[in-house]
Amino acid sequence: MDDYRTVNRASWDERVSAHAASPDYMLDKFADPEYLSQVVQFDVPRLGDIAGLRGVHLQCHIGTDTVSLARLGARMSGLDFSAPAIEQAQKFADGLGHEIDFHQADVYDAVEVLGEAQYDLVFTGIGAIGWLPSIQRWADVVAGLLKPGGRLFIREGHPMLWSLGVSKTSGEIVLDAPYFETEAPQIWDEGGTYVETDAEFSHNTTHEWNHGLGEIFTALTKAGLDVTDLEEHDSAPWMPLAGHMTRDEQGEWRLTDQPERLPATYTLQARRR
């Protein structure tokens, strides 16, 4: 079971340089001090005023969302299990003049590394919790990091979307993966990555888990947080179902035909009691 960290870390480590160089991450656009990542920009109306808040971005990867939250006025930290990702994130933030401290650690060890009840805001972005086998352990970490009254803010791929795939034979969308958390991981062996790149990779096996909305809600409640907002969206900031989605002017992808049929992502907020 513990091997999932080693397997997944090898995949993420290898993709850091390709992601940093990809036009999809748009690192060059951050030269404009007003520029925000697409993920953060989407949720600016929901984030509200975060100026002066002490925040931490869990599973921050190369730090584009972390920097964007700092640009909105939060005093940010970042944490990720990939050493190359943390090195890239720190270099990126330092080069832009942002005082952000990045830490390499497994997300389940975040409280031990960062301290208990130190943060007003815990942020988690797209494609993070699916790498974790237990949503309850994650919720307990979030609760441990937050001060009383502190807020969790997460936008994620919808568990309904994660349960879908595109058939290699018919090209149709099929229900081919669990919606609920399972003890055993879904094991994938796929090359490439989710951004535009010509790079080829050798570490292509990953271990992943889905977590249903009810499971997430219940885990947070048990950990001592009250969900204050849950909004489902028909769009995602990447193309998860090739051949079936159309990109809008904001860079979000949704089903080309009747997009109201599929919740692609969600934004959830909760407060620590």
Side-chain angles (χ1 to χ4, degrees):
M1 188 66 170
D2 290 339
D3 288 346
Y4 78 90
R5 293 186 181 92
T6 302
V7 171
N8 289 343
R9 187 183 292 114
S11 173
W12 281 102
D13 286 354
E14 188 179 23
R15 284 158 173 76
V16 166
S17 59
H19 289 181
S22 173
D24 289 331
Y25 266 103
M26 297 182 282
L27 297 194
D28 57 325
K29 290 196 174 184
F30 282 86
D32 176 359
E34 301 297 319
Y35 182 78
L36 302 175
S37 68
Q38 180 187 339
V39 170
V40 171
Q41 180 61 46
F42 180 90
D43 272 318
V44 163
R46 301 167 188 85
L47 275 164
D49 184 8
I50 62 172
L53 296 185
R54 186 75 179 93
V56 59
H57 179 187
L58 298 181
Q59 297 168 274
C60 64
H61 194 38
I62 60 174
T64 51
D65 295 342
T66 326
V67 165
S68 298
L69 294 167
R71 288 184 165 182
L72 293 174
R75 297 179 293 116
M76 293 301 300
S77 299
L79 181 140
D80 197 274
F81 75 161
S82 167
I86 287 300
E87 182 180 356
Q88 169 62 38
Q90 193 70 68
K91 177 182 176 182
F92 177 59
D94 291 348
L96 294 168
H98 294 288
E99 295 184 4
I100 301 173
D101 53 294
F102 288 95
H103 305 263
Q104 183 203 353
D106 187 86
V107 67
Y108 287 146
D109 298 327
V111 176
E112 179 181 347
V113 172
L114 299 172
E116 187 173 359
Q118 297 296 308
Y119 294 92
D120 306 297
L121 174 69
V122 170
F123 178 90
T124 298
I126 293 283
I129 61 174
W131 303 97
L132 305 176
S134 169
I135 199 64
Q136 186 63 62
R137 286 185 66 190
W138 170 82
D140 291 340
V141 167
V142 170
L145 291 169
L146 286 171
K147 301 174 183 177
R151 176 170 58 143
L152 165 68
F153 190 100
I154 173 173
R155 186 186 181 204
E156 250 296 2
H158 199 287
M160 185 65 229
L161 176 66
W162 295 132
S163 69
L164 301 177
V166 177
S167 170
K168 294 181 179 179
T169 54
S170 69
E172 296 180 341
I173 297 174
V174 292
L175 185 63
D176 68 349
Y179 174 91
F180 298 106
E181 182 179 302
T182 54
E183 182 176 354
Q186 302 167 59
I187 300 177
W188 304 95
D189 187 3
E190 299 176 339
T193 185
Y194 54 86
V195 297
E196 180 183 341
T197 180
D198 294 326
E200 296 184 1
F201 308 104
S202 57
H203 297 285
N204 297 317
T205 300
T206 58
H207 292 189
E208 303 174 40
W209 290 263
N210 204 358
H211 309 286
L213 276 185
E215 293 172 328
I216 296 167
F217 186 100
T218 300
L220 291 169
T221 301
K222 287 183 177 179
L225 287 90
D226 295 315
V227 175
T228 59
D229 188 76
L230 175 61
E231 183 178 354
E232 296 170 295
H233 314 292
D234 68 359
S235 66
W238 85 106
M239 183 176 64
L241 299 170
H244 293 273
M245 307 191 85
T246 300
R247 195 176 193 179
D248 66 19
E249 59 275 10
Q250 281 78 42
E252 293 275 316
W253 295 83
R254 51 179 52 82
L255 284 179
T256 302
D257 180 30
Q258 302 177 66
E260 66 275 7
R261 293 180 297 162
L262 177 66
T265 56
Y266 65 90
T267 302
L268 181 149
Q269 299 187 59
R271 293 274 182 186
R272 182 183 171 188
R273 293 182 210 123

